[in-house]
Amino acid sequence: MKKKDAILKVATVLFSNRGFKDTSVQELSRLTGAAEGTIFYHYKSKENLLLAILVKTRDDIVAQFDQFFENRPFDSGLEMAEETTSFYLYLAGLMEDQFLLLHRRFLYRFSESNPEFRKNLEAIYNCLVDYFEKAILTGQADGSIDSGIHPRKTALILFTMVDGMVRFKNDNLYDAGALFNELLKSCRRMLQVR
Amino acid sequence: MKKKDAILKVATVLFSNRGFKDTSVQELSRLTGAAEGTIFYHYKSKENLLLAILVKTRDDIVAQFDQFFENRPFDSGLEMAEETTSFYLYLAGLMEDQFLLLHRRFLYRFSESNPEFRKNLEAIYNCLVDYFEKAILTGQADGSIDSGIHPRKTALILFTMVDGMVRFKNDNLYDAGALFNELLKSCRRMLQVR
DNA sequence: AACAAAACTGAGCGTACGCTCAGTTTTGAT
DNA sequence: ATCAAAACTGAGCGTACGCTCAGTTTTGTT
């Protein structure tokens, strides 16, 4: 089970950073020490290897978020929303390659022909947006978040904002770290009761 | 000059939607009616063709924004910020393929080895963020936008938010149209004086 | 030790791609 | 009408890729 894992690990890095087509099985073979035949023995095609990576990514992200929220006390819904934003950025740094992968278009191209791709992508996005929404609903119940905003739609917008920030960091357009405090402030201003 | 333009046009659509590697010169040839040799006669390599597309995209976007702001009267900086957001979304619909292209990672890969790519990408982003910043500065001067926010950083965040929305629309994750009003509202809440 | 299942190998196949080049056709100025 | 420059052509070259398969090695159970 050693080489199988190594292949998945190296492929995650290469697919995320170089792209799917720009990563050859020959290169995976060289970097993992496994023969090309071994790669196709464990994953029956290159596309299937990508799918296996996506499945693991979903498992990892969902597990991390569930663990983060389990038994964690929040002073208010607003604080929960801020911490969700904060944790998302933290996780995007921790699991850089896997988050990078989610921003790569070839995943969405495969989604059009292979429902397994779409299923896993949706599971990830639903998990994330649900936590944002839950924070907003909690905040509206405890009075820390304005009741005039639409919970689901605003959750999507919050997610869009923080996810966009991750993209810009990954594409080296500008540094997300330098914007971190301002981002949390913007998030607070968006939600606060006035 | 007919075929040269046709090649650029078709390549824009294919590179944006299918990807760079996933678009073959043979296919471009078939769809434009130009022989493969003709493509290499006008653009000396596939990479060069992509660069030509990026240059045109920069020209188009910058021209559209400059034209939009020229002689346009705004009641306030806040309104200007909202209209900038709004216009960005409008333009992303109008020039769908070209905006899609800007979200494709191969552009940023080429940027690492070819400074021409980076130069053009930066020109586009600077132009866009500058307009957001200008709106904020105007609003802080006329009292419609809170003076407690950092103009440049908040401009980047606003841009991130609206650009992220465009990405989600392009990747068919969810409909930006349905979130349009809520997005403008969030934008207003972020900036407003309290 | 015997043996079957699982893991692994790498040469080789078919295919598709980017690009060149020697040559042809079209264009536009005189 | 002449002619040179510009536009265009497509067969063909070298290369790289995904994947197969017949065979070998390793692993774990009895």
Side-chain angles (χ1 to χ4, degrees):
Chain A
M1 288 290 166
K2 207 73 167 300
K3 300 216 164 171
K4 189 176 179 182
D5 291 343
I7 293 163
L8 201 84
K9 207 169 168 180
V10 172
T12 302
V13 177
L14 291 193
F15 286 168
S16 299
N17 289 278
R18 274 173 200 258
F20 185 73
K21 280 257 177 171
D22 285 308
T23 301
S24 69
V25 178
Q26 186 191 176
E27 199 170 7
L28 284 174
S29 161
R30 201 164 35 84
L31 290 171
T32 55
E36 286 193 47
T38 308
I39 295 171
F40 289 98
Y41 169 73
H42 287 299
Y43 308 95
K44 63 176 183 284
S45 69
K46 208 182 157 190
E47 177 174 337
N48 227 264
L49 170 56
L50 178 64
L51 182 58
I53 292 170
L54 179 59
V55 169
K56 180 170 161 40
T57 297
R58 187 207 58 187
D59 286 349
D60 290 351
I61 291 179
V62 171
Q64 286 273 8
F65 262 82
D66 286 347
Q67 194 194 322
F68 177 75
F69 282 98
E70 196 182 25
N71 305 322
R72 172 173 274 257
F74 294 105
D75 287 349
S76 66
L78 182 61
E79 194 208 312
M80 183 176 167
E82 286 179 46
E83 294 227 25
T84 308
T85 302
S86 189
F87 184 67
Y88 187 91
L89 288 172
Y90 161 77
L91 210 61
L94 198 72
M95 304 167 57
E96 195 176 338
D97 295 318
Q98 286 165 296
F99 272 77
L100 219 160
L101 187 75
L102 294 178
H103 285 169
R104 311 242 34 191
R105 195 114 210 288
F106 54 75
L107 280 185
Y108 303 89
R109 289 261 299 155
F110 281 122
S111 291
E112 289 166 19
S113 57
N114 187 335
E116 283 298 309
F117 280 88
R118 173 146 286 263
K119 208 188 73 188
N120 283 282
L121 283 169
E122 276 179 3
I124 295 172
Y125 288 114
N126 284 337
C127 167
L128 298 174
V129 177
D130 283 352
Y131 275 117
F132 278 109
E133 187 181 11
K134 202 171 154 193
I136 293 173
L137 288 168
T138 305
Q140 288 181 329
D142 68 26
S144 61
I145 290 181
D146 198 305
S147 57
I149 67 171
H150 189 294
R152 188 68 185 179
K153 287 182 181 176
T154 305
L156 282 163
I157 289 168
L158 266 182
F159 173 64
T160 296
M161 190 163 76
V162 63
D163 191 68
M165 190 63 65
V166 170
R167 185 180 91 83
F168 281 120
K169 195 197 71 175
N170 285 340
D171 285 348
N172 294 314
L173 280 170
Y174 45 80
D175 183 22
L179 294 175
F180 180 70
N181 288 329
E182 204 69 23
L183 185 74
L184 281 189
K185 217 163 94 183
S186 298
C187 169
R188 213 176 305 130
R189 293 178 64 96
M190 255 177 65
L191 301 175
Q192 257 172 1
V193 179
R194 41 181 38 121
Chain B
M1 286 292 167
K2 208 69 167 303
K3 298 214 166 168
K4 190 177 179 183
D5 291 342
I7 293 163
L8 201 84
K9 206 168 167 180
V10 173
T12 301
V13 177
L14 291 193
F15 286 168
S16 299
N17 290 278
R18 273 173 201 260
F20 185 73
K21 281 256 180 176
D22 285 310
T23 302
S24 68
V25 177
Q26 188 191 174
E27 199 170 8
L28 284 175
S29 161
R30 201 164 35 84
L31 290 172
T32 56
E36 286 193 46
T38 308
I39 294 171
F40 290 98
Y41 169 73
H42 287 298
Y43 308 95
K44 64 175 183 282
S45 69
K46 206 181 159 192
E47 177 175 336
N48 228 264
L49 170 57
L50 177 64
L51 181 56
I53 292 170
L54 178 59
V55 169
K56 181 170 161 41
T57 298
R58 187 207 57 188
D59 286 348
D60 290 351
I61 291 180
V62 171
Q64 286 272 11
F65 261 82
D66 286 347
Q67 193 195 322
F68 178 74
F69 281 100
E70 197 181 22
N71 306 321
R72 172 173 276 257
F74 294 106
D75 288 348
S76 66
L78 182 62
E79 194 207 311
M80 182 176 167
E82 285 178 46
E83 293 227 24
T84 308
T85 302
S86 189
F87 183 66
Y88 188 91
L89 289 172
Y90 162 75
L91 210 60
L94 199 70
M95 304 167 57
E96 194 175 340
D97 295 318
Q98 286 166 296
F99 272 78
L100 218 160
L101 187 74
L102 293 178
H103 285 169
R104 309 242 35 190
R105 196 110 210 291
F106 53 76
L107 279 185
Y108 304 89
R109 289 262 300 154
F110 282 122
S111 291
E112 288 165 20
S113 57
N114 187 334
E116 285 297 310
F117 279 88
R118 173 146 285 263
K119 209 189 71 187
N120 283 282
L121 283 169
E122 277 179 3
I124 295 172
Y125 287 115
N126 285 337
C127 166
L128 298 174
V129 177
D130 283 351
Y131 275 117
F132 277 109
E133 187 181 10
K134 202 171 152 191
I136 293 174
L137 287 167
T138 304
Q140 289 181 327
D142 68 27
S144 61
I145 291 181
D146 198 305
S147 58
I149 66 171
H150 189 295
R152 186 69 184 179
K153 288 181 181 175
T154 306
L156 282 163
I157 289 168
L158 266 183
F159 173 64
T160 296
M161 190 164 76
V162 61
D163 191 67
M165 190 63 66
V166 170
R167 186 180 91 81
F168 281 120
K169 194 196 72 175
N170 285 340
D171 286 347
N172 294 315
L173 281 168
Y174 44 81
D175 183 21
L179 293 174
F180 180 70
N181 288 330
E182 205 69 23
L183 186 73
L184 281 188
K185 215 163 97 184
S186 298
C187 170
R188 213 176 304 132
R189 294 178 64 97
M190 257 177 65
L191 302 174
Q192 257 172 1
V193 181
R194 41 179 40 117

